[in-house]
Amino acid sequence: GFQIPLMRKAGYDVVAIGNHDFDFGPEAYAGIIKNSSQNGEIPVMLLGNAVTDPEDPADDAFEAVLNEGLVRPLVIKEINGIRVGLFSLLGKDADESAPYAPPVTFGKIIPAAKKLVRVLKKEDCDIIICLSHCGISRDKKGGWTGEDVKLAQKVKGIDLIITGHTHTLLKEPLVVNGVPIVGVGDNGRYLGRIDLLVGSDGMKLEKYEAIPVDDSATAREDIQSEIVLQQEEINKAILATLGMTYTMPVV
């Protein structure tokens, strides 16, 4: 219950759930989310195409966090009078990389996206953003392909796709069918900044940059101190008996 509340303190408002969140199964993951929510405020956890099995008790705990709203298909955030609708998807390739997710399964992304966009349009959203754990890749000719490219081509109403799963770093936006796709790789190596201009004629992406996260960035003391305390706890509880420390390089 440490990491998810810390993400909220660090400024994460909304996060998309991915395949590795299910590495210990849906019951264990639901327990982490529930425990985290009791340890402080957590970000909005999004998963727009999860399908649970009402007949199978193995996903009852995950159904419970869905019913409680700790995991949601979509969220609307009002920022300076602008209604921003966000939803997330977990794609086919990510699903195939989530062997311990069942009995939780994931619906096809195109129909799921169309349904979620319809809901957000009815709620008068000015901007609709997809936080996607589907991904993009290069084809044999060097062009871009993949599930998020198809999403931009086949689903009307999405204004921006923030891509994930494939660890792709885009230094410039990839525009498909008029829809910008952006992504900043993996493991927090880059922070993406997007400036959006919203007017009566829709949304325009004014600026996008992938900012390296390195030692030139100053750590926030309150966040860093919590991380150091947690490292010390891990050292005491787990690593000391193995003759290891948290900061020891893995070779």
Side-chain angles (χ1 to χ4, degrees):
F2 166 77
Q3 184 175 327
I4 300 176
L6 187 72
M7 289 175 74
R8 181 68 197 92
K9 288 177 189 172
Y12 289 83
D13 296 309
V14 182
V15 299
I17 289 172
N19 51 291
H20 284 299
D21 292 311
F22 291 95
D23 282 352
F24 299 101
E27 186 172 1
Y29 185 46
I32 291 167
I33 294 170
K34 183 78 173 174
N35 182 261
S36 296
S37 72
Q38 293 167 348
N39 284 349
E41 188 182 356
I42 66 172
V44 175
M45 312 288 286
L46 289 185
L47 183 52
N49 60 331
V51 180
T52 59
D53 185 346
E55 305 299 321
D56 194 327
D59 64 1
D60 283 1
F62 193 74
E63 286 173 339
V65 295
L66 287 168
N67 291 335
E68 289 176 48
L70 293 172
V71 174
R72 311 182 208 175
L74 55 82
V75 67
I76 299 168
K77 294 278 186 181
E78 190 151 329
I79 303 160
N80 298 328
I82 297 168
R83 288 174 66 78
V84 181
L86 303 107
F87 69 94
S88 90
L89 299 168
L90 194 147
K92 186 173 185 292
D93 185 76
D95 186 0
E96 289 168 358
S97 302
Y100 301 107
V104 177
T105 56
F106 308 97
K108 291 181 178 178
I109 64 168
I110 303 299
K114 287 179 177 177
K115 179 182 176 183
L116 292 161
V117 167
R118 272 200 305 272
V119 173
L120 292 169
K121 286 282 187 192
K122 282 183 182 175
E123 293 290 335
D124 296 322
C125 287
D126 299 298
I127 305 174
I128 295 177
I129 299 173
C130 175
L131 304 181
S132 174
H133 204 83
C134 300
I136 59 174
S137 57
R138 294 281 191 183
D139 61 24
K140 291 177 182 177
K141 295 179 181 177
W144 288 106
T145 185
E147 293 174 72
D148 283 328
V149 170
K150 290 174 185 171
L151 195 65
Q153 290 169 337
K154 296 185 178 182
V155 181
K156 291 181 180 178
I158 300 173
D159 294 300
L160 175 70
I161 297 172
I162 301 177
T163 188
H165 179 59
T166 47
H167 296 189
T168 309
L169 171 63
L170 292 170
K171 294 286 185 79
E172 299 291 335
L174 169 64
V175 181
V176 177
N177 196 27
V179 180
I181 301 174
V182 296
V184 288
D186 63 304
N187 292 298
R189 292 189 178 98
Y190 288 83
L191 172 71
R193 173 174 174 156
I194 308 162
D195 292 354
L196 304 175
L197 187 64
V198 182
S200 56
D201 55 347
M203 186 212 84
K204 179 187 172 188
L205 193 153
E206 274 217 314
K207 183 182 178 184
Y208 163 69
E209 57 184 328
I211 304 164
V213 176
D214 53 31
D215 288 342
S216 66
T218 305
R220 257 178 57 186
E221 278 189 30
D222 57 332
I223 301 295
Q224 188 62 29
S225 62
E226 285 201 40
I227 292 169
V228 170
L229 284 171
Q230 187 71 8
Q231 287 174 351
E232 289 171 359
E233 286 295 318
I234 292 167
N235 282 337
K236 286 178 197 171
I238 302 167
L239 297 177
T241 57
L242 303 171
M244 300 168 72
T245 64
Y246 190 90
T247 54
M248 187 180 288
V250 178
V251 292

